[in-house]
PDB file of all heavy atoms in Angstrom:
ATOM      1  N   ARG A  11       2.984 -29.286  -8.411  1.00  0.00           N
ATOM      2  CA  ARG A  11       1.712 -28.530  -8.666  1.00  0.00           C
ATOM      3  C   ARG A  11       1.133 -28.022  -7.366  1.00  0.00           C
ATOM      4  O   ARG A  11       1.370 -28.579  -6.242  1.00  0.00           O
ATOM      5  CB  ARG A  11       0.727 -29.477  -9.385  1.00  0.00           C
ATOM      6  CG  ARG A  11      -0.127 -30.410  -8.538  1.00  0.00           C
ATOM      7  CD  ARG A  11       0.631 -31.332  -7.683  1.00  0.00           C
ATOM      8  NE  ARG A  11      -0.213 -32.385  -7.143  1.00  0.00           N
ATOM      9  CZ  ARG A  11      -0.907 -32.416  -5.994  1.00  0.00           C
ATOM     10  NH1 ARG A  11      -0.890 -31.331  -5.252  1.00  0.00           N
ATOM     11  NH2 ARG A  11      -1.574 -33.435  -5.608  1.00  0.00           N
ATOM     12  N   ALA A  13      -2.705 -27.394  -6.024  1.00  0.00           N
ATOM     13  CA  ALA A  13      -3.932 -27.954  -6.514  1.00  0.00           C
ATOM     14  C   ALA A  13      -5.100 -27.502  -5.559  1.00  0.00           C
ATOM     15  O   ALA A  13      -5.730 -28.366  -4.925  1.00  0.00           O
ATOM     16  CB  ALA A  13      -3.873 -29.489  -6.539  1.00  0.00           C
ATOM     17  N   PRO A  14      -5.389 -26.285  -5.457  1.00  0.00           N
ATOM     18  CA  PRO A  14      -6.464 -25.800  -4.588  1.00  0.00           C
ATOM     19  C   PRO A  14      -7.829 -26.122  -5.096  1.00  0.00           C
ATOM     20  O   PRO A  14      -8.060 -26.197  -6.252  1.00  0.00           O
ATOM     21  CB  PRO A  14      -6.245 -24.257  -4.554  1.00  0.00           C
ATOM     22  CG  PRO A  14      -5.661 -23.957  -5.888  1.00  0.00           C
ATOM     23  CD  PRO A  14      -4.776 -25.108  -6.247  1.00  0.00           C
ATOM     24  N   SER A  15      -8.746 -26.246  -4.098  1.00  0.00           N
ATOM     25  CA  SER A  15     -10.148 -26.369  -4.470  1.00  0.00           C
ATOM     26  C   SER A  15     -10.716 -24.961  -4.402  1.00  0.00           C
ATOM     27  O   SER A  15     -10.494 -24.295  -3.410  1.00  0.00           O
ATOM     28  CB  SER A  15     -10.888 -27.275  -3.415  1.00  0.00           C
ATOM     29  OG  SER A  15     -10.199 -28.500  -3.306  1.00  0.00           O
ATOM     30  N   ARG A  45      -3.360 -26.443 -10.638  1.00  0.00           N
ATOM     31  CA  ARG A  45      -4.566 -27.206 -11.015  1.00  0.00           C
ATOM     32  C   ARG A  45      -5.695 -26.800 -10.118  1.00  0.00           C
ATOM     33  O   ARG A  45      -5.576 -26.848  -8.863  1.00  0.00           O
ATOM     34  CB  ARG A  45      -4.262 -28.659 -10.857  1.00  0.00           C
ATOM     35  CG  ARG A  45      -5.488 -29.549 -11.168  1.00  0.00           C
ATOM     36  CD  ARG A  45      -5.135 -31.012 -11.232  1.00  0.00           C
ATOM     37  NE  ARG A  45      -4.975 -31.636  -9.982  1.00  0.00           N
ATOM     38  CZ  ARG A  45      -3.987 -32.409  -9.623  1.00  0.00           C
ATOM     39  NH1 ARG A  45      -3.002 -32.664 -10.446  1.00  0.00           N
ATOM     40  NH2 ARG A  45      -3.872 -32.952  -8.396  1.00  0.00           N
ATOM     41  N   GLU A  47      -9.046 -27.650  -8.504  1.00  0.00           N
ATOM     42  CA  GLU A  47      -9.791 -28.884  -8.273  1.00  0.00           C
ATOM     43  C   GLU A  47     -11.270 -28.550  -8.098  1.00  0.00           C
ATOM     44  O   GLU A  47     -11.796 -28.433  -6.982  1.00  0.00           O
ATOM     45  CB  GLU A  47      -9.204 -29.653  -7.110  1.00  0.00           C
ATOM     46  CG  GLU A  47      -7.677 -29.853  -7.335  1.00  0.00           C
ATOM     47  CD  GLU A  47      -7.169 -31.198  -6.768  1.00  0.00           C
ATOM     48  OE1 GLU A  47      -7.495 -31.502  -5.630  1.00  0.00           O
ATOM     49  OE2 GLU A  47      -6.507 -31.886  -7.506  1.00  0.00           O
ATOM     50  N   TYR A 190     -12.362 -37.622  -4.935  1.00  0.00           N
ATOM     51  CA  TYR A 190     -11.128 -36.891  -4.829  1.00  0.00           C
ATOM     52  C   TYR A 190      -9.846 -37.715  -5.040  1.00  0.00           C
ATOM     53  O   TYR A 190      -9.046 -37.350  -5.881  1.00  0.00           O
ATOM     54  CB  TYR A 190     -11.086 -36.211  -3.430  1.00  0.00           C
ATOM     55  CG  TYR A 190      -9.735 -35.777  -3.010  1.00  0.00           C
ATOM     56  CD1 TYR A 190      -9.110 -34.672  -3.585  1.00  0.00           C
ATOM     57  CD2 TYR A 190      -8.973 -36.482  -2.067  1.00  0.00           C
ATOM     58  CE1 TYR A 190      -7.844 -34.254  -3.280  1.00  0.00           C
ATOM     59  CE2 TYR A 190      -7.685 -36.135  -1.728  1.00  0.00           C
ATOM     60  CZ  TYR A 190      -7.164 -34.967  -2.328  1.00  0.00           C
ATOM     61  OH  TYR A 190      -5.890 -34.652  -1.933  1.00  0.00           O
ATOM     62  N   VAL A 194      -7.247 -36.898  -8.200  1.00  0.00           N
ATOM     63  CA  VAL A 194      -5.913 -36.391  -7.903  1.00  0.00           C
ATOM     64  C   VAL A 194      -4.834 -37.276  -8.529  1.00  0.00           C
ATOM     65  O   VAL A 194      -3.954 -36.772  -9.246  1.00  0.00           O
ATOM     66  CB  VAL A 194      -5.675 -36.297  -6.386  1.00  0.00           C
ATOM     67  CG1 VAL A 194      -4.166 -36.052  -6.082  1.00  0.00           C
ATOM     68  CG2 VAL A 194      -6.477 -35.095  -5.858  1.00  0.00           C
ATOM     69  N   ASP A 198      -2.457 -36.248 -11.514  1.00  0.00           N
ATOM     70  CA  ASP A 198      -0.994 -36.161 -11.247  1.00  0.00           C
ATOM     71  C   ASP A 198      -0.261 -37.053 -12.238  1.00  0.00           C
ATOM     72  O   ASP A 198       0.865 -36.657 -12.633  1.00  0.00           O
ATOM     73  CB  ASP A 198      -0.724 -36.537  -9.790  1.00  0.00           C
ATOM     74  CG  ASP A 198      -1.064 -35.364  -8.775  1.00  0.00           C
ATOM     75  OD1 ASP A 198      -1.207 -34.214  -9.280  1.00  0.00           O
ATOM     76  OD2 ASP A 198      -1.129 -35.574  -7.583  1.00  0.00           O
ATOM     77  N   VAL A 206       4.772 -34.406  -4.956  1.00  0.00           N
ATOM     78  CA  VAL A 206       3.492 -33.897  -4.415  1.00  0.00           C
ATOM     79  C   VAL A 206       3.772 -33.278  -3.065  1.00  0.00           C
ATOM     80  O   VAL A 206       4.116 -33.949  -2.104  1.00  0.00           O
ATOM     81  CB  VAL A 206       2.473 -35.057  -4.272  1.00  0.00           C
ATOM     82  CG1 VAL A 206       1.213 -34.629  -3.539  1.00  0.00           C
ATOM     83  CG2 VAL A 206       2.068 -35.576  -5.686  1.00  0.00           C
ATOM     84  N   LEU A 207       3.699 -31.952  -3.025  1.00  0.00           N
ATOM     85  CA  LEU A 207       4.061 -31.196  -1.846  1.00  0.00           C
ATOM     86  C   LEU A 207       2.779 -30.541  -1.343  1.00  0.00           C
ATOM     87  O   LEU A 207       2.255 -29.626  -2.017  1.00  0.00           O
ATOM     88  CB  LEU A 207       5.151 -30.150  -2.159  1.00  0.00           C
ATOM     89  CG  LEU A 207       6.292 -30.571  -3.082  1.00  0.00           C
ATOM     90  CD1 LEU A 207       7.196 -29.439  -3.355  1.00  0.00           C
ATOM     91  CD2 LEU A 207       7.100 -31.723  -2.444  1.00  0.00           C
ATOM     92  N   ARG A 208       2.320 -30.897  -0.184  1.00  0.00           N
ATOM     93  CA  ARG A 208       1.014 -30.352   0.282  1.00  0.00           C
ATOM     94  C   ARG A 208       0.901 -30.400   1.797  1.00  0.00           C
ATOM     95  O   ARG A 208       1.834 -30.820   2.452  1.00  0.00           O
ATOM     96  CB  ARG A 208      -0.120 -31.141  -0.396  1.00  0.00           C
ATOM     97  CG  ARG A 208      -0.056 -32.670   0.008  1.00  0.00           C
ATOM     98  CD  ARG A 208      -1.076 -33.499  -0.821  1.00  0.00           C
ATOM     99  NE  ARG A 208      -0.822 -34.895  -0.598  1.00  0.00           N
ATOM    100  CZ  ARG A 208      -1.441 -35.835  -1.319  1.00  0.00           C
ATOM    101  NH1 ARG A 208      -2.249 -35.524  -2.301  1.00  0.00           N
ATOM    102  NH2 ARG A 208      -1.209 -37.116  -1.054  1.00  0.00           N
ATOM    103  N   ASP A 211      -2.697 -32.309   6.429  1.00  0.00           N
ATOM    104  CA  ASP A 211      -4.021 -32.924   6.496  1.00  0.00           C
ATOM    105  C   ASP A 211      -4.276 -33.922   5.346  1.00  0.00           C
ATOM    106  O   ASP A 211      -5.285 -34.641   5.336  1.00  0.00           O
ATOM    107  CB  ASP A 211      -5.097 -31.787   6.447  1.00  0.00           C
ATOM    108  CG  ASP A 211      -4.822 -30.694   5.487  1.00  0.00           C
ATOM    109  OD1 ASP A 211      -3.674 -30.592   5.002  1.00  0.00           O
ATOM    110  OD2 ASP A 211      -5.761 -29.914   5.156  1.00  0.00           O
ATOM    111  N   HIS A 212      -3.344 -33.992   4.390  1.00  0.00           N
ATOM    112  CA  HIS A 212      -3.526 -35.024   3.321  1.00  0.00           C
ATOM    113  C   HIS A 212      -2.786 -36.272   3.587  1.00  0.00           C
ATOM    114  O   HIS A 212      -2.830 -37.263   2.792  1.00  0.00           O
ATOM    115  CB  HIS A 212      -3.084 -34.417   1.996  1.00  0.00           C
ATOM    116  CG  HIS A 212      -4.051 -33.440   1.452  1.00  0.00           C
ATOM    117  ND1 HIS A 212      -5.314 -33.847   0.895  1.00  0.00           N
ATOM    118  CD2 HIS A 212      -4.037 -32.119   1.293  1.00  0.00           C
ATOM    119  CE1 HIS A 212      -5.964 -32.786   0.512  1.00  0.00           C
ATOM    120  NE2 HIS A 212      -5.240 -31.699   0.756  1.00  0.00           N
ATOM    121  N   GLN A 219      -3.650 -43.106  -2.180  1.00  0.00           N
ATOM    122  CA  GLN A 219      -3.186 -42.590  -3.496  1.00  0.00           C
ATOM    123  C   GLN A 219      -2.037 -43.437  -4.077  1.00  0.00           C
ATOM    124  O   GLN A 219      -1.980 -43.720  -5.213  1.00  0.00           O
ATOM    125  CB  GLN A 219      -2.872 -41.150  -3.412  1.00  0.00           C
ATOM    126  CG  GLN A 219      -4.081 -40.272  -3.127  1.00  0.00           C
ATOM    127  CD  GLN A 219      -3.856 -38.778  -3.079  1.00  0.00           C
ATOM    128  OE1 GLN A 219      -2.746 -38.301  -3.368  1.00  0.00           O
ATOM    129  NE2 GLN A 219      -4.890 -38.051  -2.689  1.00  0.00           N
TER     130      GLN A 219
HETATM  131  N1  LIG B   2      -7.546 -29.866  -3.583  1.00  0.00           N
HETATM  132  C1  LIG B   2      -6.894 -30.305  -2.349  1.00  0.00           C
HETATM  133  C2  LIG B   2      -7.018 -29.188  -1.327  1.00  0.00           C
HETATM  134  O1  LIG B   2      -7.381 -28.102  -1.698  1.00  0.00           O
HETATM  135  C3  LIG B   2      -5.358 -30.534  -2.551  1.00  0.00           C
HETATM  136  C4  LIG B   2      -5.080 -31.756  -3.289  1.00  0.00           C
HETATM  137  C5  LIG B   2      -3.626 -32.106  -3.218  1.00  0.00           C
HETATM  138  O2  LIG B   2      -2.758 -31.247  -3.048  1.00  0.00           O
HETATM  139  O3  LIG B   2      -3.335 -33.298  -3.492  1.00  0.00           O
HETATM  140  O4  LIG B   2      -6.872 -29.456  -0.164  1.00  0.00           O
END
Side-chain angles (χ1 to χ4, degrees):
R11 85 304 193 270
S15 308
R45 180 170 75 228
E47 304 216 313
Y190 162 75
V194 165
D198 282 344
V206 171
L207 319 175
R208 59 188 172 192
D211 41 345
H212 285 290
Q219 294 182 7

